[in-house]
Amino acid sequence: MGTKGKAIVGVNVEELVTVLNKAYADEWLAYYQYWVGAKVASGRMRGIVAGELEEHANEELKHAQMLAERIITLGGTPLLKPEDLLKETNCGYAEPSDPSTKALLKQNINGEQCAIETYKKLLEFVKDKDPITYHVILEILKDEVEHEEDLESLLTDMS
Ligand code: FE
Ligand code: FE
Ligand code: MG
């Protein structure tokens, strides 16, 4: 990152890269959880649920991309090893061992709620200190709020 670009970041850049990498780990795991969940989904409203999970998978991958770009601009390196994703994650990975659409929805709602909490904290961390990261995180948080709502209304439709 350019000299001035770095100078306007009002938080410790190394610490910022660390927390962004943790969110980056969450996004890859969320991507895979949605992607593979869409493949194995079975039971009620299977087509609709699988379609929504697949859409969310693509959006989580886009979040990973946004975070990777910001990490690189800050002079950091996105996590390079898959095992580090599991080591650094905030929200973990919920294996979709029960492929019923209801169980998948519940698992992914939990994941979204953790993501919302994580990004809310991240927003507070950079607020008034790094407007560019703030903007990136705000965009992602907006999607996570929408994801939670989508899944909750599918679960409601189901019961
Ligand atoms: Fe995400
Ligand atoms: Fe999400
Ligand atoms: Mg959606």
Side-chain angles (χ1 to χ4, degrees), residues 78-104:
L79 300 176
L80 298 175
K81 294 181 292 187
E83 57 262 42
D84 287 345
L85 303 177
L86 285 165
K87 236 181 275 166
E88 297 299 323
T89 177
N90 303 292
C91 296
Y93 177 79
E95 175 191 345
S97 46
D98 177 353
S100 77
T101 46
K102 199 172 181 177
L104 292 176

Side-chain angles (χ1 to χ4, degrees), residues 5-48:
K6 201 159 191 167
I8 63 162
V9 177
V11 293
N12 182 289
V13 173
E14 223 171 286
E15 194 185 340
L16 179 57
V17 166
T18 301
V19 292
L20 290 176
N21 253 325
K22 286 180 159 294
Y24 175 77
D26 290 338
E27 293 296 350
W28 270 107
L29 296 177
Y31 165 73
Y32 191 69
Q33 189 177 312
Y34 272 125
W35 186 89
V36 80
K39 300 292 175 217
V40 299
S42 69
R44 266 191 294 170
M45 294 168 62
R46 195 203 67 83
I48 295 166

Side-chain angles (χ1 to χ4, degrees), residues 1-9 13-14 16-17 20-21 64-78 130 132-133 136:
M1 184 163 58
T3 318
K4 193 67 179 169
K6 201 159 191 167
I8 63 162
V9 177
V13 173
E14 223 171 286
L16 179 57
V17 166
L20 290 176
N21 253 325
Q65 181 138 357
M66 291 162 76
L67 291 167
E69 278 166 14
R70 187 61 189 146
I71 288 166
I72 288 166
T73 303
L74 288 165
T77 308
D130 178 359
I132 297 174
T133 301
V136 171

Side-chain angles (χ1 to χ4, degrees), residues 27 60 63 144:
E27 293 296 350
E60 308 306 5
H63 298 161
E144 310 303 12

Side-chain angles (χ1 to χ4, degrees), residues 3 7 12 38 77 85 93 96 113 116 118 122 135 141:
T3 318
N12 182 289
T77 308
L85 303 177
Y93 177 79
Q113 289 174 345
I116 290 168
T118 299
L122 245 169
H135 181 79
L141 178 60

